[in-house]
Structures are given as C-alpha cells and as structure tokens.
Amino acid sequence: MRIDWDVPITMDDGLVLRADIFRPDADGRYPVIMTHGPYAKGLSFQQAFTFAWSNLEAEHPDALAGSSNRYQNWETVDPEKWVPDGYVVIRVDARGSGRSPGYVDIFSPREALDYYTCIEWAGVQQWSNGKVGLLGISYYAVNQWQVAALQPPHLAAICPWEGATDYYREFTHHGGIPSDFLSQWFPPQVEAMQHGVGDRGARNPVTGVPVAGPETLDPDVLEKSRADVVAEMLARPVLDDYYRDRSADLTKVTVPTLSATNWGHHLHTRGGFDGYNAIPAEQKWLEVHGQQHWVEFYTDYGLRLQKRFFGHFLKGEDTGWADQPPVFLNVRRVDGTFAQRAENEWPLARTDWTTFHLDLDRQELTTTPPRSETSVDFAALGDGITLWTEPLSVETEITGPASAHLTVASSTEDADLFLVLRVQDPNGIDVTFPGAMDPEGAIAFGWLRASLRATDPALSTPYRPWQTYTESQPLTPGEPVGVDVEIWPTSVIIPAGYRLGVTLTGRDFTFPGEGPWPEAYGVRMRGNGIFVHTDERGRPQTVFAGTTTLFNGASLLLPIIPVSG
C-alpha cells in the first residue's frame, strides 16, 4: 500500500491538521475509513497499551493474524486489513494533538467542526470515490455521533464502536456523581500526546519521528494550550450548556448507522443504546457484545461485521447486509459464552417487566411486597445493604434496561447511591463478567446523587427514569425522599439454582475477597474497572460520609425475557 505521512488538511480558520493516509497501490477511486482524535496517529498500540495487546495475543490471536501489525494504532482500524480490500484509511490528529498544532479542547464544537472539514476534504480527493465512513472505538466513536449531527455531505455511514452520546451522563458523571475518569485518563492519553511534547514523548516505530511533535515546547506553554477539563467538570456539578455543547444532537443524525456497544462498560454501554433509539436515521442497526473493551473491534467477528456494513454502504456490494436484523445481541451466559440472537427492537417488545422488592424484614429480594414499614441504616462509606433471592427455580434471562425505586434519607444534606445487580452460583460465589478494562465485573450498575433526583416526566419511562440534572434539591437530614435510579442496560441468562442479588451502598461497590486485584491508571479494579468516584473535591466527606437510611417499599423493575418456544 501507499502511505503518505503528515498530509496537511487546512481548517476554516487557517489552522493545518496533519493526517496519515494509507491507500491501495493501484490508481483509482476508493471509499474512505476515517478517524480523528487526540491519541496520536503514530503511537504504537503494542508499545503504549501493552496490557490490551497482550490480552489479544494470548486470548484472541485472530485479531492479530493476517497482518504485520506494524501500523497498529490504539482504537483505530489496521490498514493492512482494510487497504487490500479497496479502502483508503485516514487517521487525523485532532487540533492540538499529535502532529497537529492548536488548542486542545476535547469534544468541543470546534473539534467537531474540524472533523466535518476533514470528512469533506477526503470526499473530494482524486483517490476518493466520494464516500467517507467513520469507524473507531471510544473517543473515535463518541465524536462520530457529534460530527454526524453536522451532516457533512460526503459522510456515507458511521459505525461508533463502544462510544458515548452524553458528555454529562456518561463521560463525566454517573447519576450526577462526578467520576474520577477524566483525572485518570486525560494526563496519560491526551496530555502526553499534546502537540509540543515532542522529544519528551513517544516516537513512531515506523518513521522514527516524535508522535507529539515536531516541536518540543515547555510544559507551561503546553498547559496554556489545552482546556482544563477536570477543573471545568468540578466547577459544573449540574448539567449546563458546557456539557450540552459536548454531547451529540442525536435528532440530527440521519446517516446509516451501526451502533456497536458492550454490556459491561461504565462509559460506553449506555450511549450505544441511546444513540440507536434516538437517531431518526431510516437505516440503523444495533449490535451488542461482551468481552473487554478493545476485544471484538479487532477479532474476526467484529471485522466481518464492519466490512459487511461498509461494503454495503461505501462500495454498493452485496455483502448480505440487506438481511441484517435491526438488533443483534450476544446474550451473556454465566460460563462466559454467549447466545447470539437477532431481534427487531430495543428494548425487546416481549419483555416481561417484573418488580422485585427489597424486603428488609426478611432480608430478601423477592417478587412479594413487604408487609411492614421497616427501615435500615447503613454507613454511606461502608458495605451497604445486600439482598438475595432464593435460588431460582427456573432459568431466568434478564436483558434490557432496568430501574430502581427507593425511599431514602440521609443524616446529611445529600447522599450518593450506588446500586449493583449481582449473580451467585449455588456455592455462594459471585459470577463475574469482563467489563471495560476489568476482567471481573457485576451484571449491572446504577448510580444517583439524591439531590439531583428530579426527573423529566416527558422523557422518563418506568424502566428508564430520565433525570434532568439541572437543579440541585438538597435533602433535609432525616427526612425521607423518593428517588428513581437508572440502571444501565444489561443481559445475562441465570441458570436455575443460582441467585440474583442487589447491593446498595454509598460508595463504589467492591467484590469481597483478598484479590489479588488488577490495576490500571493507579486504580485497583474490584468490579468497576477504572470507573470509580473517590475525588473528595466532588464528594466531600462532610456530606457523603454520613448515614443513609433505606425504607421498606424499595423495588427493582427488571426486564425478564420469557423463554422462547
């Protein structure tokens, strides 16, 4: 293939971004697969993300087969697997990142406009057939939703693979609770790749040039050339225009879309479902899988799916995509395997929405309402309350979004609520599933800051409350309030003899036991991956280390799928 390094693309304000372009040897016009983001287009996947690469090598060798892997780049496609099939692969360093100068402001309107310009530039090049597709993971999926809402004329199809659509509800806050993620992720993955790090940073193993160069600037100069996203988040506890400007306007996404998401990711799960349901595109599909965050994008399973989609929309080939079901699920089993199933909609129309009660008298999770008005106190930073069902008499599938209705009080003016759905085997051992970067996660999570409990009735459903997050309503110490908690979509088939459980705490859930627990970004992962909420600037102990009271009458609304046939 032909490779053009650091190709200039001029923005509307005169700034020049740099792109690496991988093209077929033969002259002609080809469709384009593009990514645009801050992770440095020349950074080696193998060297920078050894933990993920080692996992692919050991457990998913098909992901690396058939390629020299010389051009592998974190969360983007491998050119060696796409260019021979007649695609042009383009990687663009976003403004202020990698080899592109400028001011770094992640997910900003300015960045989305730059992406629009890059798409339109690619669509009119002599080697382009005029059709541009977007395909990438995480950051490279989130900004697909954003730029698609701008409707660039040469954008022909998008496949946001484990992205997000709501900067507040998914990226910076969980249920209004500020997440530590920005503080953990931004320095090593964005700051370290900022244009001007130059000789202090990594080098492209193929070209030898600094991936964040060619200049090497003083750290104080770099600091002034990037937005302080953590400070912005901490200064903005409620949802305002800052967050709205960094969230996709899904009502304007009309391009053919394949939304691929993961059952077990505290950043990426929710947006894949929301994006699929909210966009008005006439041609849209949803795919849901498991495994760690990076796995299925690179495996033969993911590659086949992607090429069938883009072959249909960018090349006009008969790939069989015309027969693709609107929804395709990899339903999780407790042994780590999956039941693959085609569906027509999300949530599933045949769902038997079932209420499970948290019976504080009997200390059980049951479908029978409690008979008293008992209440239970727990230390907000302690282990909380855990209730289990009796062993299930029949195999039970839970697939869909869920919710909890609780009545709570706090000894302080607020309370953070962390709700976790769990499964135990007949020996009382937790069943875990790979989630995000954590090899052991629970089956579902929900969060809510009680002072941000106000919902929008027009957008809420029984199974998915929609908090506005625009107004804080502090609690009166000791006075109970009703709250509805959104539980992110999940899926699991629970065998007979196993038990379903729920844990409610005032801090991040952790699985019991001594470990050893894996670490990433300095976080010991015990069920939440790296997505924890420990920064006292957003959770001062004077407010969130009190005593929480749960009153009888609490319930879960769970999506039970009837056994077919």
Side-chain angles (χ1 to χ4, degrees):
M1 60 188 173
R2 305 177 186 182
I3 306 175
D4 300 308
W5 307 103
D6 282 346
V7 175
I9 306 176
T10 304
M11 301 298 102
D12 61 294
D13 62 355
L15 187 89
V16 175
L17 303 188
R18 297 288 174 175
D20 291 343
I21 302 176
F22 304 82
R23 296 188 284 133
D25 275 329
D27 291 335
R29 295 183 179 275
Y30 302 96
V32 172
I33 299 292
M34 178 178 280
T35 50
H36 169 277
Y39 290 168
K41 58 185 174 55
L43 185 66
S44 165
F45 184 165
Q46 299 94 309
Q47 295 175 14
F49 299 92
T50 305
F51 63 91
W53 188 263
S54 298
N55 171 259
L56 292 177
E57 283 186 311
E59 299 183 23
H60 309 280
D62 60 308
L64 310 182
S67 172
S68 74
N69 297 305
R70 294 186 68 206
Y71 309 103
Q72 289 280 19
N73 181 245
W74 179 242
E75 300 184 330
T76 68
V77 303
D78 179 0
E80 290 185 82
K81 292 191 176 183
W82 286 83
V83 174
D85 278 3
Y87 291 90
V88 175
V89 172
I90 301 179
R91 297 168 175 163
V92 186
D93 279 336
R95 181 177 296 242
S97 303
R99 307 281 293 181
S100 298
Y103 185 82
V104 180
D105 191 3
I106 61 170
F107 301 119
S108 64
R110 173 72 261 180
E111 196 174 80
L113 181 59
D114 287 347
Y115 203 173
Y116 178 108
T117 303
C118 293
I119 292 168
E120 289 308 288
W121 176 87
V124 298
Q125 299 305 302
Q126 62 181 5
W127 34 256
S128 171
N129 74 350
K131 294 184 177 181
V132 178
L134 309 181
L135 174 61
I137 314 178
S138 190
Y139 201 106
Y140 302 112
V142 176
N143 61 12
Q144 289 184 48
W145 295 108
Q146 291 179 290
V147 73
L150 301 180
Q151 300 182 355
H154 288 94
L155 182 60
I158 65 171
C159 180
W161 195 280
E162 298 195 28
T165 60
D166 192 313
Y167 190 66
Y168 184 91
R169 291 178 175 88
E170 296 156 18
F171 207 91
T172 63
H173 294 74
H174 288 131
I177 305 169
S179 170
D180 294 1
F181 176 69
L182 268 184
S183 300
Q184 300 156 354
W185 160 81
F186 193 83
Q189 287 199 228
V190 180
E191 282 185 28
M193 301 303 128
Q194 188 176 355
H195 181 84
V197 169
D199 289 333
R200 293 192 300 272
R203 289 182 176 269
N204 185 321
V206 179
T207 65
V209 303
V211 301
E215 302 174 283
T216 303
L217 303 176
D218 290 337
D220 61 333
V221 174
L222 295 180
E223 185 176 1
K224 295 175 183 176
S225 297
R226 63 177 180 260
D228 190 339
V229 294
V230 175
E232 290 283 2
M233 180 191 78
L234 293 172
R236 300 171 182 274
V238 298
L239 197 162
D240 60 13
D241 286 341
Y242 173 83
Y243 298 104
R244 294 186 190 97
D245 286 345
R246 286 158 177 76
S247 301
D249 184 350
L250 298 173
T251 65
K252 295 181 179 178
V253 178
T254 57
V255 71
T257 300
L258 169 57
S259 176
T261 193
N262 190 313
W263 295 117
H265 203 295
H266 287 11
L267 169 58
H268 298 309
T269 295
R270 182 183 186 275
F273 293 99
D274 265 24
Y276 170 75
N277 275 334
I279 64 174
E282 294 182 1
Q283 300 182 91
K284 61 180 182 178
W285 292 264
L286 175 68
E287 183 274 347
V288 195
H289 52 267
Q291 306 289 356
Q292 287 96 330
H293 165 53
W294 55 82
V295 171
E296 295 292 24
F297 181 83
Y298 295 100
T299 61
D300 287 345
Y301 166 83
L303 188 65
R304 285 193 296 267
L305 189 73
Q306 297 155 14
K307 285 192 174 182
R308 286 177 55 234
F309 175 70
F310 284 112
H312 179 86
F313 286 106
L314 302 189
K315 290 183 169 185
E317 296 176 344
D318 181 6
T319 64
W321 194 259
D323 298 322
Q324 179 72 12
V327 175
F328 188 79
L329 306 180
N330 289 274
V331 178
R332 296 187 293 190
R333 298 190 180 102
V334 297
D335 63 358
T337 63
F338 299 89
Q340 294 188 329
R341 198 166 69 213
E343 300 287 352
N344 293 316
E345 70 288 308
W346 182 267
L348 307 187
R350 66 183 183 281
T351 301
D352 179 9
W353 297 102
T354 303
T355 299
F356 286 77
H357 301 273
L358 284 68
D359 192 323
L360 302 178
D361 288 322
R362 291 186 289 174
Q363 290 290 295
E364 283 185 355
L365 184 62
T366 173
T367 54
T368 304
R371 297 177 181 176
S372 75
E373 297 182 357
T374 304
S375 63
V376 173
D377 295 339
F378 61 90
L381 300 187
D383 292 335
I385 297 169
T386 298
L387 302 178
W388 296 95
T389 63
E390 290 293 325
L392 299 177
S393 59
V394 296
E395 179 180 274
T396 302
E397 178 182 339
I398 299 174
T399 296
S403 65
H405 178 73
L406 313 174
T407 301
V408 298
S410 174
S411 62
T412 69
E413 64 268 26
D414 210 343
D416 283 345
L417 304 171
F418 296 74
L419 191 147
V420 182
L421 297 185
R422 301 164 63 182
V423 171
Q424 280 189 347
D425 69 17
N427 297 316
I429 305 300
D430 272 285
V431 176
T432 62
F433 300 89
M437 301 170 74
D438 196 332
E440 297 187 23
I443 64 169
F445 294 82
W447 307 263
L448 184 66
R449 176 157 287 182
S451 61
L452 297 174
R453 61 191 178 277
T455 59
D456 183 337
L459 297 176
S460 296
T461 66
Y463 57 79
R464 216 286 283 275
W466 183 270
Q467 270 80 23
T468 61
Y469 298 118
T470 57
E471 178 186 3
S472 179
Q473 300 174 325
L475 305 183
T476 300
E479 184 174 310
V481 296
V483 298
D484 295 304
V485 182
E486 175 188 359
I487 301 172
W488 284 18
T490 187
S491 180
V492 63
I493 298 173
I494 308 172
Y498 284 59
R499 297 195 299 168
L500 172 67
V502 60
T503 294
L504 177 67
T505 74
R507 60 164 174 81
D508 290 302
F509 167 79
T510 56
F511 278 119
E514 298 300 320
W517 306 103
E519 290 193 17
Y521 294 95
V523 178
R524 294 183 72 211
M525 299 188 293
R526 297 183 59 177
N528 294 280
I530 61 174
F531 298 95
V532 294
H533 312 76
T534 64
D535 192 334
E536 285 199 29
R537 293 174 295 177
R539 274 173 43 87
Q541 291 208 11
T542 53
V543 177
F544 297 101
T547 298
T548 303
T549 303
L550 176 67
F551 294 84
N552 245 358
S555 62
L556 303 174
L557 185 64
L558 300 184
I560 306 300
I561 307 303
V563 177
S564 60

